[in-house]
Amino acid sequence: MKPLYSRKDSPTRGRHLVASQNISENELIFEERPLLSLQSIGNAHRGALCCRFCRAFVGGPDLALLVASGKLGRENVWDYYHEKQEEYRIRNVNDDFCKAVCRMHPCRNDCGEIFCSQECEEKHWSCGGHDLLCTGLIPDPEDRAEDGVDTDESMHPLLQFKVHAVRSNEILLMVADLVASVVSLRRKQIALNLQIKEHSCVEEVTLEELMEPYLDFTLVPWWEVATAPIISDPKNIQECIQLNLNLRELCRTSSKLLYDAFMAIECDDEFHNTLCLAMNECQEKYHLFSEEFFGKVIGSFEQNAIGIRARHPLCRDILENSELRIRRHREIVKCIELAEMIGDDDDDDEQRGDEGNADDTENVTSNNENILDNEADDNDYSVDDIASFLSGLYLEEQGMPVTREINSESNIDDCNDDGEQVGDDLDLLFTPLDGTCMFHITCKMNHSCTPNVIARYSYSCSGGGEFARWGQDFPLVVQCVAIKDILQGEELCISYINHDAPFEERQKELSHYGFKCNCEKCKRDEVASGEESMQSDDNMENIEFDIFGEADDESQSCEDENDDYTDDDVTNANNDVDGQQKLTLRVKELDQTLEKNKIALIPVSTLGPPLSFVNRIGSQIMNDPSWTDSLHEYIEVKQLLGDVIKELSNKNFCSLQKHAAYGEGLAMSLLKKAREWPHSVVREAHACFCVASAICYAQDGNFLPAMKLLDKTAIFGVPRETIDRFYQYVEYHSTKMSCSHNEICRVPRVCIYDYSLVNLQREVLQKGLVAPIKYPVQELSHTSITRESSFGSAPIVIRQYASEWPALLKWRHLNYFLKSYSKRLVPIEHGFMFGGNTITEELMTIENFFQRHLNSSSNQICHPFIPDDSLDTIAYLAQHQLFQQLPELIKDVVLPHIFNGYDPIQINAWIGTGGTRTPLHFDSYDNIFVQVVGAKYVRLYDYSETKKLYVIRSNDISYARQGNMSAVNCEKEDYSLHPDSIDAEYTEVVLFPGDMLYIPSKTWHYVRSLTTSISVNFWC
């Protein structure tokens, strides 16, 4: 898919976006992860526990309810986490369940930051600057204070900076993230350059590349932005002068504190020296630690930043999950009390104090504890009472648009707590993620009082299990959607403000951005500005929310009607129908409302093929005569499939998701249990469940879990072309969601060693082989090969056959894969198939595969023979049709159809660490095997040697049923067990990048990777 937008620059409109093709109303234009993000101070203490890196909600519903109710402080979540881990270990709870319940990862230095996964923690450390901002190893200030009295001067400089930022303006914390990220990445690049070996290849990331995303905005100094609305009035001159001086001094002090904080980091000499070099370079070229730089960056934040208001997943969990409401009944009641929906209002107000003050988080925690201790016994309300009460709340589930921050001096939390409530009653119970973001693309859109685009945060309303909306598959993402038909070449505009406000109010709010709007609406309104009443030209009433301003009167009055709760609202809500039934009906009503929502849905032409696939394959399975009573363990799968087909035909996507998610998990468990392909209907049913669930996730705009489900269908054998258009749609959008603009491209790009170099080949041959090559395979020159060439029955090596393939250069850079495919699922094998079936298989993302295995393997030039008992480091993406799953990669290789009669029927990729071994076996196809990256050793036996190779013949071992596996352990032969193998004749070869090995059908062959390796083979 091609992007629906393009960037333009002009003297009058500045940086802006235009439609690159016609866009239909409600069509999703693009989505984006933040360039920088800041969670409001105190927001996490009120229950919005989010990953520090990707801003996904973490911890699961139980932990979130404990924090939201005040029973567990934010500072104690790790105690809870470790306690639960130990509890699950003692009870021997399933590891997957344990991960789902905890669903978070600590900082390696235990600084208190929360991450959704180890991958996010590593990214924040490697490219987010956390290695410079982590406070985990800094002694507690109380330990350094004299006589138990702490002062700012006794603090570590990093703590001084953070306290200073909290007390003055929290936006300084986001500036620190920017500076730390740039300095940290530059330090790593400098350190890498100092360590480069002559045969290494490092593609340097320059300081200019690191700074480019942040400088690609209008950089008006903070003091000019802050004084712009009032400087035109001569009476405000003195106020402007004072504000200018104050903000300059704040930036000067802040930059000095941050510089001192970095210099005070306790580290070894190498780290300190490279840090100083990086800081000096940054200061010399961009004045990173200066009043001017801080002022310009904050000014760009004030004029371009977008506010965060992302709905808490508890808002849906609490309605759908009856077990959760029973299990956490007390905590739910406390949340309702803290929201002042029940209980004694006077007592609550007195005890809550200044809870809305975001700067006084300690008081918030202590006051919450007092409330919990002194409130009435929550046993006064039954589980059914609470269910009935929840069913009567005012809910707004369609998602909310995004507006920009406009008040540089007001705190985000203050705006939300001053009675100008935006959202609904569930947002009062479970605090949304609040904060501010900078987006590389979204923030380029200009303002219009008649916008054609709306920006909103993705939120999953469809259910997919208890933890469906938590964790790394649901990062903070902004979606930009067309709210009217847009013609090619038309500028894409959003509204920075409430564009239904009166003309004078709009112009006043826009003055914070330093311009006067001259759109057609403003021109008309200016002419009619003397009239009392004015009505908007556009009917936008369902999407007009200014998150940091006032809601419209109608919306506010609707909320006011729901704000005056009493205890009787809970106890008297249960009159005619029990609470659970009421809530079930309410959820069903919400689902029906959501299914009528047209915003950002999958285009009809894209949705048709996957719907047809599920209906067609599902109906075939339901009518399959092989479903008999003897297959009773699969009957539940059949029943779930029937439910999926029914809900799909009715387009009930919310309930469809619940059936499909459960069915996918059940079918997958059957596949794993069998450790082989069981009855074919289970495979096909699993594919139907995956596609149906992917449709539901994609309808919600959650493309990462949708992509993983589609990847499963490809891995388990469903031809991609069956649903290719839908596959492309999800693939395009999931790539945009998989990483932020600078997450991958700014990391120092270390290549796998170039094993085409003679000195490296010599080292591999000396250290990688068990014994020198004795019986080499016949070699041909690649210059002697023509279209008429054909091969006989013996193996042949063609050196440098693929020397012109783009893959030889591109694939040495692991970031080449990560940039587009980091979140894609692939099947990984661990271990060897020797001495019994010791191999294990796992589905993991390419990102995890590279980070956990290939990165460390690539640091080693050569991998000697690894004994069978050293399996921990072995990981192999083996014999996988990667090019069918990721067809763009086929452009990097050249199909070997130049040979007479050799047309490939299947193409496989082989990517693995050094030390992988494929046992001695033969295939029924001619094999054209090309080494792309790294080096491999191959041993080959003619089929005539079969009697000496001890063929494994057993129906009990899945990989031996075809009779093409040998028991001989090549390079570690046990001639006492297999005496005849000593007389078997073989040839052998070491393949380097660009080399091709022709393996005739039924030729026995054994393969071992001598380095980190990537190969491609063609079965012909």
Side-chain angles (χ1 to χ4, degrees):
M1 288 182 59
K2 295 182 179 179
L4 299 179
Y5 68 94
S6 60
R7 171 182 162 159
K8 300 290 183 181
D9 295 272
S10 74
T12 55
R13 300 296 293 172
R15 304 169 182 86
H16 61 284
L17 305 181
V18 299
S20 58
Q21 54 186 282
N22 292 342
I23 303 173
S24 301
E25 181 181 359
N26 295 321
E27 187 170 356
L28 176 60
I29 303 173
F30 66 88
E31 59 280 284
E32 184 182 15
R33 293 264 296 274
L35 190 65
L36 291 167
S37 65
L38 175 69
Q39 184 175 7
S40 300
I41 297 172
N43 187 230
H45 289 265
R46 294 192 292 275
L49 300 178
C50 295
C51 174
R52 178 63 177 83
F53 186 75
C54 72
R55 300 300 179 189
F57 282 92
V58 299
D62 289 88
L63 177 59
L65 278 169
L66 287 169
V67 175
S69 65
K71 284 196 171 183
L72 185 71
R74 163 64 178 82
E75 65 280 3
N76 297 321
V77 295
W78 287 116
D79 294 334
Y80 172 87
Y81 172 82
H82 295 305
E83 179 183 316
K84 284 296 178 184
Q85 272 196 325
E86 181 64 16
E87 176 186 333
Y88 295 141
R89 186 189 66 79
I90 294 173
R91 290 165 48 195
N92 196 27
V93 175
N94 178 274
D95 185 56
D96 290 338
F97 178 72
C98 178
K99 289 178 182 177
V101 172
C102 297
R103 201 174 284 273
M104 57 185 193
H105 193 83
C107 167
R108 64 192 66 181
N109 289 338
D110 291 324
C111 68
E113 294 285 13
I114 300 175
F115 300 93
C116 66
S117 62
Q118 181 180 346
E119 291 71 40
C120 271
E121 192 272 346
E122 290 174 351
K123 287 180 184 177
H124 198 49
W125 194 270
S126 63
C127 66
H130 193 56
D131 56 337
L132 301 182
L133 295 175
C134 179
T135 59
L137 298 181
I138 298 176
D140 190 336
E142 294 181 0
D143 297 338
R144 303 177 59 148
E146 297 180 2
D147 302 324
V149 179
D150 187 29
T151 62
D152 287 352
E153 290 74 17
S154 70
M155 290 184 184
H156 186 281
L158 181 55
L159 293 180
Q160 289 186 42
F161 171 81
K162 292 195 173 185
V163 170
H164 163 76
V166 170
R167 290 175 177 172
S168 54
N169 194 310
E170 63 183 44
I171 201 68
L172 291 166
L173 297 174
M174 198 156 81
V175 180
D177 282 346
L178 185 161
V179 174
S181 175
V182 171
V183 172
S184 173
L185 285 166
R186 190 58 191 156
R187 186 206 70 78
K188 292 180 176 70
Q189 185 69 67
I190 291 172
L192 201 60
N193 292 342
L194 295 174
Q195 297 170 6
I196 289 177
K197 301 176 182 178
E198 59 182 72
H199 44 248
S200 294
C201 179
V202 177
E203 184 182 354
E204 182 170 354
V205 181
T206 66
L207 181 58
E208 288 71 24
E209 287 180 275
L210 298 177
M211 292 297 298
E212 182 274 331
Y214 307 116
L215 302 181
D216 195 26
F217 295 98
T218 302
L219 299 173
V220 179
W222 189 14
W223 37 89
E224 293 184 19
V225 174
T227 57
I230 59 175
I231 198 171
S232 59
D233 190 341
K235 293 185 293 185
N236 297 326
I237 294 298
Q238 193 59 39
E239 181 182 351
C240 289
I241 293 174
Q242 189 60 49
L243 182 57
N244 186 302
L245 293 174
N246 290 345
L247 296 182
R248 284 178 177 272
E249 177 59 28
L250 180 57
C251 290
R252 187 181 307 117
T253 302
S254 303
S255 60
K256 175 66 167 58
L257 284 173
L258 190 61
Y259 181 89
D260 292 343
F262 288 177
M263 294 302 295
I265 293 175
E266 297 182 9
C267 55
D268 57 36
D269 291 342
E270 180 185 353
F271 189 103
H272 180 76
N273 291 338
T274 53
L275 177 61
C276 289
L277 289 172
M279 291 175 65
N280 290 338
E281 183 183 358
C282 292
Q283 183 67 7
E284 179 181 341
K285 291 186 177 180
Y286 293 101
H287 308 289
L288 240 61
F289 301 93
S290 69
E291 165 194 324
E292 290 76 15
F293 182 81
F294 269 55
K296 288 182 178 179
V297 168
I298 297 176
S300 74
F301 291 169
E302 295 296 337
Q303 290 195 311
N304 296 282
I306 289 180
I308 305 172
R309 188 143 178 105
R311 195 161 174 82
H312 203 301
L314 269 178
C315 293
R316 194 68 183 182
D317 289 340
I318 207 69
L319 300 179
E320 295 178 342
N321 194 333
S322 59
E323 292 182 5
L324 177 65
R325 291 196 300 275
I326 296 171
R327 186 170 67 243
R328 292 297 174 190
H329 173 68
R330 295 172 62 89
E331 288 77 14
I332 295 170
V333 173
K334 295 301 180 186
C335 289
I336 297 173
E337 291 174 347
L338 290 174
E340 299 182 358
M341 293 180 175
I342 56 176
D344 190 333
D345 291 345
D346 294 336
D347 291 343
D348 285 350
D349 291 341
E350 184 177 342
Q351 293 180 58
R352 287 169 68 90
D354 287 328
E355 185 182 342
N357 188 345
D359 295 336
D360 195 6
T361 56
E362 293 183 4
N363 287 340
V364 172
T365 304
S366 61
N367 287 334
N368 283 352
E369 291 172 353
N370 290 335
I371 294 170
L372 302 182
D373 291 339
N374 294 294
E375 288 285 356
D377 187 356
D378 51 59
N379 286 329
D380 290 346
Y381 310 115
S382 69
V383 172
D384 200 62
D385 288 338
I386 296 302
S388 182
F389 179 71
L390 292 172
S391 70
L393 295 179
Y394 166 69
L395 306 178
E396 173 58 65
E397 287 281 46
Q398 281 76 13
M400 292 176 290
V402 179
T403 56
R404 301 197 180 208
E405 280 195 85
I406 58 171
N407 191 339
S408 62
E409 299 182 29
S410 65
N411 183 281
I412 298 170
D413 291 292
D414 291 338
C415 291
N416 293 331
D417 291 337
D418 279 345
E420 300 175 303
Q421 174 64 33
V422 176
D424 62 21
D425 291 339
L426 283 176
D427 286 335
L428 291 173
L429 289 177
F430 309 118
T431 305
L433 169 61
D434 265 328
T436 188
C437 284
M438 285 289 285
F439 291 94
H440 188 252
I441 302 173
T442 307
C443 292
K444 297 293 192 300
M445 284 190 286
N446 284 324
H447 164 82
S448 173
C449 292
T450 54
N452 54 15
V453 175
I454 185 174
R456 67 171 195 169
Y457 289 110
S458 175
Y459 172 71
S460 179
C461 295
S462 57
E466 187 171 357
F467 301 96
R469 291 166 282 269
W470 302 80
Q472 60 185 324
D473 284 342
F474 301 91
L476 181 68
V477 173
V478 68
Q479 296 178 327
C480 292
V481 184
I483 54 176
K484 58 178 70 173
D485 291 338
I486 304 173
L487 298 177
Q488 181 177 354
E490 187 178 343
E491 183 176 356
L492 306 180
C493 295
I494 59 175
S495 178
Y496 298 180
I497 59 172
N498 177 9
H499 51 271
D500 269 350
F503 170 74
E504 292 81 2
E505 185 177 327
R506 297 202 310 272
Q507 293 300 323
K508 181 179 179 181
E509 292 187 30
L510 289 172
S511 66
H512 291 274
Y513 299 95
F515 69 88
K516 179 181 178 181
C517 182
N518 291 312
C519 69
E520 292 301 318
K521 178 178 179 178
C522 285
K523 290 177 182 178
R524 292 195 305 269
D525 291 349
E526 186 172 16
V527 173
S529 60
E531 301 179 8
E532 283 290 323
S533 64
M534 177 186 65
Q535 192 170 13
S536 173
D537 291 340
D538 301 301
N539 183 14
M540 308 280 289
E541 60 186 27
N542 291 326
I543 51 176
E544 318 291 40
F545 292 91
D546 178 0
I547 289 178
F548 299 106
E550 295 183 359
D552 61 278
D553 293 341
E554 182 179 348
S555 173
Q556 188 65 46
S557 64
C558 183
E559 292 169 16
D560 291 342
E561 292 175 4
N562 290 273
D563 281 346
D564 299 324
Y565 296 99
T566 66
D567 294 356
D568 290 339
D569 289 330
V570 177
T571 56
N572 293 336
N574 185 12
N575 293 327
D576 302 319
V577 187
D578 68 74
Q580 178 57 49
Q581 288 178 311
K582 280 187 175 182
L583 190 54
T584 300
L585 290 172
R586 185 67 193 280
V587 171
K588 196 170 289 187
E589 291 173 2
L590 286 172
D591 289 346
Q592 292 172 352
T593 302
L594 290 168
E595 283 153 7
K596 296 176 183 177
N597 177 31
K598 302 298 183 184
I599 296 178
L601 296 185
I602 305 169
V604 174
S605 59
T606 301
L607 184 59
L611 292 177
S612 298
F613 172 84
V614 176
N615 275 315
R616 176 171 51 83
I617 301 299
S619 298
Q620 290 175 4
I621 295 172
M622 297 297 291
N623 297 321
D624 192 328
S626 61
W627 285 101
T628 65
D629 293 338
S630 61
L631 296 172
H632 62 273
E633 59 182 322
Y634 301 140
I635 295 302
E636 187 177 4
V637 172
K638 180 179 180 181
Q639 292 172 342
L640 285 166
L641 188 58
D643 292 335
V644 164
I645 295 173
K646 176 183 175 182
E647 300 296 353
L648 197 62
S649 63
N650 295 327
K651 294 186 178 180
N652 296 330
F653 293 111
C654 293
S655 53
L656 168 64
Q657 175 69 304
K658 298 166 189 174
H659 295 303
Y662 183 72
E664 191 276 327
L666 179 60
M668 176 61 79
S669 68
L670 291 174
L671 294 175
K672 288 181 178 179
K673 181 180 178 181
R675 300 194 66 182
E676 58 180 295
W677 292 122
H679 200 277
S680 61
V681 292
V682 179
R683 298 197 311 269
E684 295 168 348
H686 178 264
C688 289
F689 291 135
C690 283
V691 173
S693 189
I695 291 171
C696 297
Y697 277 124
Q699 288 281 55
D700 273 348
N702 291 295
F703 294 102
L704 290 179
M707 191 71 257
K708 287 184 178 180
L709 288 161
L710 294 182
D711 279 338
K712 286 183 180 181
T713 66
I715 291 168
F716 295 150
V718 176
R720 171 174 169 151
E721 51 268 22
T722 307
I723 50 173
D724 188 54
R725 188 163 184 171
F726 177 58
Y727 211 113
Q728 288 184 43
Y729 177 81
V730 175
E731 193 170 47
Y732 174 81
H733 291 290
S734 67
T735 300
K736 303 300 181 184
M737 291 181 66
S738 62
C739 61
S740 63
H741 173 76
N742 55 6
E743 186 176 317
I744 296 297
C745 61
R746 297 168 66 227
V747 179
R749 299 182 276 269
V750 183
C751 303
I752 298 174
Y753 293 113
D754 183 2
Y755 291 95
S756 64
L757 299 176
V758 175
N759 58 335
L760 281 182
Q761 293 185 5
R762 187 182 302 116
E763 184 169 350
V764 169
L765 293 173
Q766 289 174 351
K767 299 180 180 180
L769 298 178
V770 173
I773 299 293
K774 291 183 180 180
Y775 312 107
V777 175
Q778 179 188 356
E779 292 189 13
L780 293 177
S781 169
H782 71 283
T783 57
S784 64
I785 302 300
T786 66
R787 182 176 293 275
E788 287 72 32
S789 298
S790 60
F791 304 117
S793 58
I796 295 174
V797 172
I798 304 176
R799 299 290 184 186
Q800 292 302 295
Y801 159 77
S803 58
E804 301 300 320
W805 282 15
L808 262 66
L809 176 61
K810 290 181 178 180
W811 292 7
R812 284 178 51 226
H813 302 258
L814 298 184
N815 277 31
Y816 174 74
F817 294 92
L818 293 176
K819 196 170 184 179
S820 299
Y821 309 119
S822 62
K823 301 298 184 183
R824 303 301 294 274
L825 279 183
V826 289
I828 302 301
E829 297 178 356
H830 301 279
F832 305 125
M833 285 193 292
F834 294 102
N837 194 352
T838 59
I839 195 170
T840 59
E841 296 177 290
E842 177 184 7
L843 293 181
M844 64 167 54
T845 63
I846 289 179
E847 176 182 62
N848 289 353
F849 175 42
F850 283 16
Q851 289 181 351
R852 296 180 189 178
H853 302 289
L854 289 199
N855 286 352
S856 57
S857 173
S858 301
N859 293 331
Q860 190 172 336
I861 294 178
C862 182
H863 292 253
F865 185 87
I866 299 175
D868 292 356
D869 56 356
S870 302
L871 306 178
D872 294 342
T873 60
I874 302 300
Y876 206 6
L877 190 159
Q879 193 177 314
H880 178 51
Q881 297 184 53
L882 189 65
F883 301 99
Q884 183 171 353
Q885 184 182 355
L886 309 176
E888 285 293 310
L889 290 177
I890 201 67
K891 297 177 182 177
D892 297 333
V893 304
V894 179
L895 300 181
H897 58 268
I898 64 169
F899 304 131
N900 185 27
Y902 294 96
D903 292 321
I905 59 174
Q906 184 171 313
I907 309 174
N908 299 312
W910 308 74
I911 304 175
T913 59
T916 62
R917 282 193 283 161
T918 302
L920 189 60
H921 71 287
F922 70 79
D923 300 311
S924 300
Y925 305 101
D926 287 339
N927 187 351
I928 295 177
F929 187 93
V930 180
Q931 189 64 20
V932 179
V933 175
K936 275 184 174 174
Y937 168 78
V938 185
R939 180 184 292 187
L940 305 106
Y941 296 82
D942 189 78
Y943 188 72
S944 62
E945 303 291 329
T946 299
K947 291 182 179 180
K948 304 173 187 177
L949 297 181
Y950 297 86
V951 178
I952 303 174
R953 303 185 187 280
S954 172
N955 289 326
D956 297 329
I957 303 176
S958 59
Y959 62 78
R961 291 176 182 172
Q962 297 180 24
N964 67 335
M965 301 292 296
S966 168
V968 175
N969 193 349
C970 294
E971 296 189 284
K972 192 186 176 184
E973 294 88 345
D974 186 343
Y975 294 120
S976 63
L977 284 177
H978 310 119
D980 292 345
S981 65
I982 196 170
D983 297 322
E985 296 182 0
Y986 63 86
T987 56
E988 54 189 341
V989 66
V990 174
L991 300 175
F992 292 106
D995 294 345
M996 185 272 275
L997 173 64
Y998 167 68
I999 306 174
S1001 64
K1002 294 194 175 182
T1003 297
W1004 292 90
H1005 53 284
Y1006 157 85
V1007 185
R1008 175 167 66 90
S1009 59
L1010 307 177
T1011 69
T1012 301
S1013 172
I1014 304 178
S1015 313
V1016 176
N1017 88 291
F1018 306 85
W1019 280 336
C1020 302

